[in-house]
Amino acid sequence: MDIGLIARLLPHFLQAAGLTILISTLALALGLAVAAGIAAARLSPSRVLRGFGAAYVSLIRGTPCLIQLFLIYFGGPQVGITPGPFAAGVIGLGLNIAAYMAEAIRGAILAVDRGQSEAARSLGFSRGQAMRRVILPQAARLMIRPLGVNAIALVKGSSLVATISVVELTYTAQRLIGSTYRPFEVFGIAALLYLVIIHTLRRGIDRLDRAYAPG
Amino acid sequence: MSDAPGRTPMIEVRGARKAFGAAEVLRGIDLTVGRGEIVAIIGPSGSGKSTLLRAINHLETLDAGEIRLDGRRVNLPLRGRAFERHVNALRRQIGMVFQQFNLFPHLSVLDNLALAPMRARGLDRQEARALATTYLERVHIPEQAQKYPAQLSGGQQQRVAIARALCMRPKIMLFDEPTSALDPEMIKEVLDVMVELAEDGMTMIVVTHEMGFAREVADTIAFMDHGRIVEALPPAQFFTAARTERAQLFLSRILGH
Amino acid sequence: MGLDFTVLADYRGVLALGAWWTAVLTLAAAALSLGAGILVALALLHGPRWLALPVRGLAGLFMGTPLLLQLFLIYFGLAQLGIDIPVLAAGILGLGLHFAAYNAEVIRAGIGALEAGQAEAARSLGLSRMQAMRHVILPQALRDTAPPLGGNMIALLKESSLVSVIGITELVHAAQRGISETYRPFEFYIAAAAVYYVLNLLMEAALGRIERRAEASR
């Protein structure tokens, strides 16, 4: 263990960790927004929308995230989209996690819907009102855990953007392993930073879950 | 008791003590079971009946006292591999039947019976299955051999469990409330098998709430309460002339008069 | 320049070979992840105490950090230690150990969920701890956890794409070869995605059959 080396590398790593957090946060925001839309489509009365939602989830979940990322970054220019590495990373990660998060949202809504929806409708609520006032407030709580699991997976998955040269944690680790020939020290620092980020995220999710606990 | 003179009893329990945390479950148990003797252990729930039975099979470790099976110490101060060898050898000689049957759901009835003879006694598959078939006939359900436990009724499952224990040719059979989880109409078929076993001379200790069975089949009734054997008498005497107040109270409750 | 999927025709063989290696890699890593996952679960449940802490720490490390980072470590780290293994073996090792940590978690929970009576019945018949585990406990735990284990294997198939970065010539790598010669990334990545999708469907069908068989023996 070379303390001097670690001290020299640390500033690089902290900056890279910042980028990992930033890209994960932006992808999470995009992912949640898209996921809400996909979940709504999958639960909508329209057959076309339901089919679109199901196809989206199936195609995204049935293929590797890495390929989706490459398709956007390397294939994009062929169809007139030219995102930079960072933008491609946010879009790719966001669209990917959206498929998984849509299922988490849909699952939570369906878990509440049975019974509750009928009860609300029998009280004279419209379908929309029943969803907004009765179903969603209850489902929100059920979503926290599964969405949290996806958020943690997203942080780890954000390492994939290293392959399109975004200078986040894994890219930095790879480069520094190559230049220092000290894989274990470099890996150790990167691993520690990932563990800290994920641990913090997990505690946040726990807190959120408790805050919304009934009673 | 039915011991031939000069022969050791099958089971000897001396001063058995066991506590779970602050709760003393066995508070000095003495019990002797002769060869071919049938002992019914009765008493209110929480009196330590099951714990005593499990201690004989070393599923529970005693805090104090000793248990002998056929003259050999059951509870030895062994550890690690030596302990493992000791209990494995011991348990092969003791058949145990549980309240919840505990059949292996992933194996067919035949394989439930053949597993231990193959793995613990080294029989080959063919020998083990032949043995299994013999004992399925003894409990009158040879036709269920290829089914899975979940496809059988509770009474059938418990009979398979009895046959599974018999396949190890044990010296003694322990029954831990064998009919308590059964629907009333299935109790008799299990008790009938146990009666036949008794008639064949098997040594048996039966924890039960079936007073009819205890009265007709047992040689001795041991009444347990608060971790002690309060009385141990032949059934005729026990049911008519139990000496202790607690046994009388228990009998009046359970017999409804 | 527009899209032209006909360029793929010349690379059918290359892509098929890549798909073949993806399948081989996935199956080998899946087998390793199940075997190692069982060992880790047993070590945590029944192993000596001195073993539990390092095993738990390593499993936590495998689950708490990105697979890509682990692949880089195995690839560069083994070289650093002077251990020279083929890159394919390094990829299988990385994927297998990563998913072993997840499988161990599932299997441990499966064993824990079984009724105590199962072990007691096995032990009371005179089976040793090992025999009870092998013939009574593990078969049931694996049967009960077939769906989540299958989910892990589906994830493994997709994540196997990451080993392309350490130079294993699987499907992504095959696509990249085509791209380097034709400069048509869109077509090749779509083709690779399609192949993954089909492999995914095949795997789901196979897992479905296994699960139905497991379900039948309840």
Side-chain angles (χ1 to χ4, degrees):
Chain A
M1 201 52 105
D2 182 342
I3 300 295
L5 175 73
I6 292 174
R8 256 183 301 126
L9 299 184
L10 206 55
H12 295 281
F13 269 116
L14 290 178
Q15 203 173 356
L19 205 55
T20 286
I21 294 170
L22 180 64
I23 205 164
S24 301
T25 309
L26 293 176
L28 180 65
L30 174 65
L32 276 172
V34 174
I38 296 292
R42 291 210 67 183
L43 293 166
S44 91
S46 151
R47 223 213 219 140
V48 178
L49 282 178
R50 280 207 309 273
F52 170 76
Y56 183 89
V57 168
S58 171
L59 287 174
I60 295 286
R61 298 208 310 178
T63 56
C65 185
L66 187 68
I67 300 248
Q68 295 157 18
L69 215 50
F70 284 173
L71 202 55
I72 292 169
Y73 183 64
F74 296 111
Q78 275 177 276
V79 290
I81 312 160
T82 317
F86 185 83
V90 171
I91 295 168
L93 293 174
L95 292 183
N96 178 270
I97 205 68
Y100 295 86
M101 290 185 152
E103 289 301 275
I105 293 170
R106 177 170 161 265
I109 290 173
L110 287 179
V112 175
D113 201 10
R114 301 179 189 107
Q116 289 289 309
S117 172
E118 279 178 20
R121 297 297 295 279
S122 74
L123 290 171
F125 284 105
S126 73
R127 215 186 118 81
Q129 281 176 321
M131 183 57 81
R132 264 200 317 282
R133 293 174 190 280
V134 180
I135 310 293
L136 278 180
Q138 298 181 60
R141 190 186 127 58
L142 293 183
M143 288 172 202
I144 293 171
R145 287 273 155 207
L147 288 179
V149 169
N150 283 322
I152 288 168
L154 175 61
V155 172
K156 286 184 274 180
S158 73
S159 62
L160 264 55
V161 300
T163 59
I164 54 173
S165 330
V166 177
V167 191
E168 46 66 82
L169 266 177
T170 297
Y171 183 85
T172 304
Q174 185 197 0
R175 290 296 290 269
L176 291 176
I177 288 172
S179 61
T180 63
Y181 297 103
R182 302 299 283 268
F184 293 97
E185 281 92 340
V186 170
F187 175 82
I189 304 173
L192 191 69
L193 288 169
Y194 272 114
L195 291 174
V196 167
I197 294 171
I198 287 169
H199 180 72
T200 310
L201 182 57
R202 191 167 281 143
R203 288 193 44 184
I205 295 161
D206 283 344
R207 223 182 239 183
L208 209 57
D209 195 43
R210 270 200 301 279
Y212 281 87
Chain B
M1 306 202 177
S2 60
D3 264 11
R7 295 196 69 187
T8 50
M10 190 60 88
I11 292 281
E12 256 190 299
V13 181
R14 290 287 164 261
R17 289 186 169 274
K18 174 76 182 174
F20 295 112
E24 273 191 277
V25 187
L26 301 180
R27 314 181 184 205
I29 297 274
D30 296 305
L31 177 70
T32 304
V33 182
R35 282 158 205 285
E37 183 176 354
I38 293 153
V39 175
I41 302 181
I42 64 171
S45 52
S47 58
K49 307 185 298 283
S50 288
T51 307
L52 173 60
L53 215 57
R54 291 162 60 84
I56 292 173
N57 207 8
H58 224 310
L59 287 173
E60 307 285 357
T61 312
L62 288 182
D63 298 334
E66 67 168 61
I67 298 176
R68 285 175 186 276
L69 167 71
D70 204 5
R72 285 177 56 199
R73 275 284 289 266
V74 169
N75 54 331
L76 289 170
L78 295 172
R79 300 183 62 178
R81 278 171 195 276
F83 172 80
E84 183 71 17
R85 264 200 301 277
H86 168 68
V87 293
N88 291 343
L90 179 86
R91 285 170 178 156
R92 282 167 209 164
Q93 304 173 44
I94 303 176
M96 180 122 184
V97 176
F98 300 86
Q99 181 177 350
Q100 299 295 341
F101 327 139
N102 294 343
L103 293 179
F104 307 135
H106 63 300
L107 298 178
S108 70
V109 165
L110 199 64
D111 288 338
N112 260 277
L113 270 63
L115 178 65
M118 277 168 64
R119 303 296 163 188
R121 277 179 51 197
L123 271 57
D124 68 33
R125 186 174 294 273
Q126 219 172 357
E127 291 169 335
R129 290 203 161 161
L131 183 73
T133 309
T134 311
Y135 281 104
L136 275 184
E137 281 162 7
R138 288 260 317 250
V139 299
H140 314 299
I141 37 176
E143 72 284 358
Q144 310 287 358
Q146 300 306 328
K147 290 200 178 155
Y148 282 90
Q151 297 170 293
L152 305 184
S153 73
Q156 290 171 326
Q157 289 192 50
Q158 192 61 300
R159 285 190 280 156
V160 171
I162 293 173
R164 181 175 70 176
L166 290 174
C167 275
M168 292 302 285
R169 301 195 196 281
K171 292 178 173 173
I172 178 169
M173 288 283 286
L174 308 178
F175 293 85
D176 190 2
E177 304 202 20
T179 56
S180 296
L182 295 177
D183 293 335
E185 68 272 18
M186 291 168 187
I187 291 176
K188 186 171 179 303
E189 65 185 63
V190 172
L191 291 181
D192 285 348
V193 166
M194 290 169 64
V195 169
E196 288 169 22
L197 212 53
E199 285 165 355
D200 288 346
M202 176 63 78
T203 310
M204 293 164 54
I205 305 180
V206 185
V207 170
T208 187
H209 295 294
E210 292 296 324
M211 290 305 135
F213 174 82
R215 185 198 292 255
E216 276 152 44
V217 182
D219 301 302
T220 304
I221 293 188
F223 173 70
M224 275 185 79
D225 194 25
H226 289 103
R228 293 200 174 86
I229 293 184
V230 182
E231 293 200 55
L233 294 169
Q237 289 176 39
F238 181 80
F239 282 100
T240 55
R243 286 178 294 249
T244 60
E245 199 177 316
R246 272 184 293 181
Q248 285 165 3
L249 187 66
F250 177 75
L251 277 176
S252 70
R253 283 209 192 118
I254 207 152
L255 299 175
H257 55 70
Chain C
M1 86 187 164
L3 296 179
D4 177 14
F5 283 91
T6 58
V7 297
L8 296 172
D10 291 340
Y11 290 87
R12 273 177 315 202
V14 174
L15 290 173
L17 194 63
W20 162 254
W21 280 114
T22 285
V24 169
L25 182 71
T26 299
L27 290 179
L32 174 62
S33 77
L34 274 178
I38 289 171
L39 290 181
V40 169
L42 292 184
L44 290 177
L45 282 171
H46 297 292
R49 218 166 294 169
W50 58 264
L51 192 62
L53 200 66
V55 168
R56 191 169 315 170
L58 266 182
L61 205 57
F62 273 112
M63 290 192 286
T65 62
L67 173 60
L68 191 59
L69 190 65
Q70 292 160 24
L71 288 173
F72 285 142
L73 177 75
I74 287 176
Y75 185 58
F76 294 110
L78 287 177
Q80 178 80 5
L81 294 173
I83 301 167
D84 189 20
I85 61 169
V87 65
L88 182 67
I92 291 170
L93 195 66
L95 275 174
L97 292 183
H98 181 79
F99 281 93
Y102 287 94
N103 287 346
E105 193 98 321
V106 170
I107 293 166
R108 192 156 67 118
I111 291 174
L114 288 178
E115 284 170 34
Q118 287 294 311
E120 288 188 349
R123 299 306 306 281
S124 77
L125 287 167
L127 295 179
S128 69
R129 274 167 70 119
M130 287 280 280
Q131 288 172 326
M133 185 52 75
R134 179 163 158 221
H135 298 291
V136 175
I137 305 301
L138 259 186
Q140 292 187 62
L142 291 176
R143 177 198 69 183
D144 295 347
T145 55
L149 290 177
N152 285 349
M153 297 306 94
I154 294 273
L156 193 156
L157 167 65
K158 288 179 285 176
E159 301 273 284
S160 76
S161 60
L162 297 193
V163 301
S164 61
V165 300
I166 59 171
I168 295 176
T169 53
E170 42 66 85
L171 187 49
V172 177
H173 207 273
Q176 284 165 342
R177 196 184 131 192
I179 292 164
S180 70
E181 290 169 11
T182 63
Y183 306 106
R184 292 199 166 271
F186 195 91
E187 290 87 339
F188 274 95
Y189 285 132
I190 287 283
V195 176
Y196 273 110
Y197 193 73
V198 171
L199 288 176
N200 193 55
L201 289 180
L202 289 175
M203 196 152 175
E204 276 180 2
L207 289 169
R209 280 184 69 158
I210 293 172
E211 275 174 40
R212 272 194 301 281
R213 271 182 51 185
E215 195 62 37
S217 71
R218 269 167 192 280

